[in-house]
Amino acid sequence: MAALPPVPPPVTLPVAGSSDRFPVRRIFCVGRNYAEHSREMGGDPTREAPFFFTKPADAVVESGATIPFPPMTADLHHEAELVVALGAGGRDIAVADAPALIWGHAAGNDLTRRDLQAEAKSARRPWDMSKAFDRSAIVGPLRPDPLADGAITCTVDGRVTQSARLSDMIWSVPEIIAHLSRYVELKPGDLIFTGTPAGVGPIRSGESCTVSIDGLGDATVTIA
Ligand code: MN
């Protein structure tokens, strides 16, 4: 029998102001959580319950990295998002109990192969290859402090493409945690990408994309 492959290294993220590393378990993502973005993607923000998709933990890329342009797409999009990191888990969490699960927050970028997503939607196929590809989850340094409302912005080579307030979210972070915990048992180390505001658009080879959220460090990625 051939030798077994080596155990994959754990996925961790830097903690702001510390040498500690946050261990990542799973990555959950919310679709359409800002009304204007829902409309730009053809949805109806007034009627839709939150829905979820996932990325593998090893899709995580730390802020500051340069990554290759992903294969099999001609339309790589940025999606600026608040990322919530859980320090505790559970199932069927009540909205009032959800804040106690939160360990910290970071800025994030839910990279999307938009052309593959459009094909998947029209063919009623899964989103995995459009959302859960290699190096598709850009995450800034995690901050363990509570987070107030603030601005969320995205720039591509310094040009502002997305600009909103966290309070523009249709579903609040505690509501997202409560909903998600009805579908899966949440555990410490889980990350939740909480959806993106309007203004998603392309990032091309050679461009840098930065997501900034008031009170949090940036999540920057450069496409080689
Ligand atoms: Mn997204």
Side-chain angles (χ1 to χ4, degrees):
M1 190 173 72
L4 291 166
V7 175
V11 177
T12 63
L13 281 168
V15 174
S18 164
S19 57
D20 289 345
R21 308 273 308 180
F22 181 90
V24 177
R25 190 187 80 112
R26 290 186 182 170
I27 306 175
F28 300 98
C29 307
V30 182
R32 295 184 190 165
N33 199 27
Y34 291 79
E36 270 186 65
H37 173 63
S38 180
R39 281 188 283 268
E40 82 179 345
M41 299 306 285
D44 178 350
T46 61
R47 287 190 305 139
E48 231 168 9
F51 68 93
F52 302 96
F53 58 92
T54 65
K55 293 176 186 265
D58 67 3
V60 160
V61 174
E62 287 181 29
S63 181
T66 298
I67 64 171
F69 192 90
M72 301 299 288
T73 184
D75 197 19
L76 176 68
H77 271 207
H78 59 75
E79 294 193 355
E81 309 204 6
L82 171 68
V83 178
V84 176
L86 299 188
R91 54 174 72 137
D92 296 323
I93 309 290
V95 172
D97 297 333
L101 272 55
I102 299 171
W103 186 89
H105 304 86
N109 193 341
D110 165 19
L111 293 185
T112 302
R113 295 193 281 210
R114 192 71 72 200
D115 43 1
L116 295 193
Q117 188 194 33
E119 285 173 27
K121 284 178 179 175
S122 63
R124 301 188 174 208
R125 289 182 181 147
W127 283 13
D128 302 54
M129 293 301 111
S130 63
K131 286 289 197 179
F133 55 97
D134 299 337
R135 304 179 194 91
S136 59
I138 318 302
V139 186
L142 283 162
R143 281 200 175 272
D145 324 302
L147 188 65
D149 182 28
I152 176 169
T153 59
C154 184
T155 60
V156 177
D157 276 1
R159 173 175 44 91
V160 176
T161 53
Q162 296 182 274
S163 180
R165 307 282 304 174
L166 295 178
S167 55
D168 294 336
M169 285 191 207
I170 296 170
W171 300 93
S172 70
V173 169
E175 288 170 334
I176 290 166
I177 291 170
H179 265 277
L180 182 57
S181 73
R182 293 157 64 184
Y183 292 92
V184 289
E185 181 177 1
L186 298 173
K187 297 217 169 164
D190 288 344
L191 301 183
I192 305 173
F193 279 65
T194 56
T196 196
V200 299
I203 325 175
R204 299 178 182 87
S205 282
E207 291 182 327
S208 281
C209 181
T210 295
V211 177
S212 302
I213 296 176
D214 288 345
L216 298 176
D218 294 347
T220 296
V221 66
T222 301
I223 311 299

